[in-house]
Amino acid sequence: MNLIETFQGFVAQVPELIQPLIVALAGAIPFIEGEGAVSIGIIGGIHPVIAAIAAIVGNFLCVAILVIAGSGARSAIVKRTRNREAVVAGSAGGAVPEPVDAGATDRGSARREKFQRAFERYGVPGVSLLGPLLLPTHFTATMLAASGIGKARILIWQAVAIIGWTTIVAVIVGGAVSAIR
């Protein structure tokens, strides 16, 4: 909560022209995201529509960077693995693949299994739309990219989720703030 209070205080102290940038920066932080950033902006005195747009842009830009980087990393790993397998298969039995460390595969396996079950049950749309209830969109989008899902498909559904959740929170917080004032 200290980070959120810091952002709210910062929004109130900077000129109006810079306030949406602060909200966008807050939207790029996991666990604050668009929903928290729009709340920070509205409570900090920014018009709800401007706060929502800034929060959505900040959250989506960060997610887009992560999806592009995650997809690129996956492609590089898959290519490297295929090249290594081709070398091992082409050798005369001289090279033996190294055994995989069992401890390394167990790390985070519970989260991966939970994500995999949700993905199998709901697909990309469901994981993207329901994901913010359990995990930040940053993590969900990165896991989708690591699973080999196409970047465009991930980004479209993440955009729908970010816009939807941020708008819902903006309406609720904006209504509450206007009722208090």
Side-chain angles (χ1 to χ4, degrees):
M1 293 307 266
N2 192 21
L3 184 60
I4 293 174
E5 291 170 0
T6 302
F7 271 112
Q8 285 174 339
F10 196 49
V11 166
Q13 293 175 0
V14 298
E16 280 187 37
L17 193 58
I18 298 175
Q19 289 176 347
L21 295 175
I22 304 303
V23 172
L25 285 174
I29 298 173
F31 297 104
I32 292 180
E33 300 191 347
E35 301 89 42
V38 75
S39 300
I40 289 168
I42 293 170
I43 293 170
I46 300 175
H47 188 278
V49 173
I50 295 171
I53 291 170
I56 288 167
V57 168
N59 193 188
F60 183 76
L61 285 177
C62 186
V63 167
I65 290 168
L66 290 171
V67 167
I68 292 167
S71 183
R74 182 187 190 284
S75 296
I77 290 169
V78 167
K79 182 178 177 183
R80 183 175 176 200
T81 302
R82 285 183 184 155
N83 288 343
R84 186 177 289 163
E85 288 172 357
V87 168
V88 171
S91 68
V96 177
E98 296 179 24
V100 177
D101 180 20
T105 57
D106 289 343
R107 292 183 201 143
S109 63
R111 284 189 203 134
R112 279 191 297 262
E113 288 176 18
K114 189 178 209 178
F115 171 80
Q116 191 62 36
R117 281 193 309 268
F119 178 69
E120 288 170 3
R121 188 174 201 175
Y122 304 113
V124 175
V127 169
S128 295
L129 295 171
L130 299 175
L133 296 173
L134 301 173
L135 290 171
T137 55
H138 302 78
F139 298 157
T140 305
T142 304
M143 285 194 276
L144 286 169
S147 297
I149 308 300
K151 291 180 280 195
R153 188 169 177 209
I154 296 169
L155 292 175
I156 288 169
W157 283 106
Q158 288 296 312
V160 170
I162 290 168
I163 291 168
W165 284 106
T166 303
T167 302
I168 290 168
V169 171
V171 168
I172 293 169
V173 173
V177 167
S178 67
I180 293 172
R181 291 182 184 163

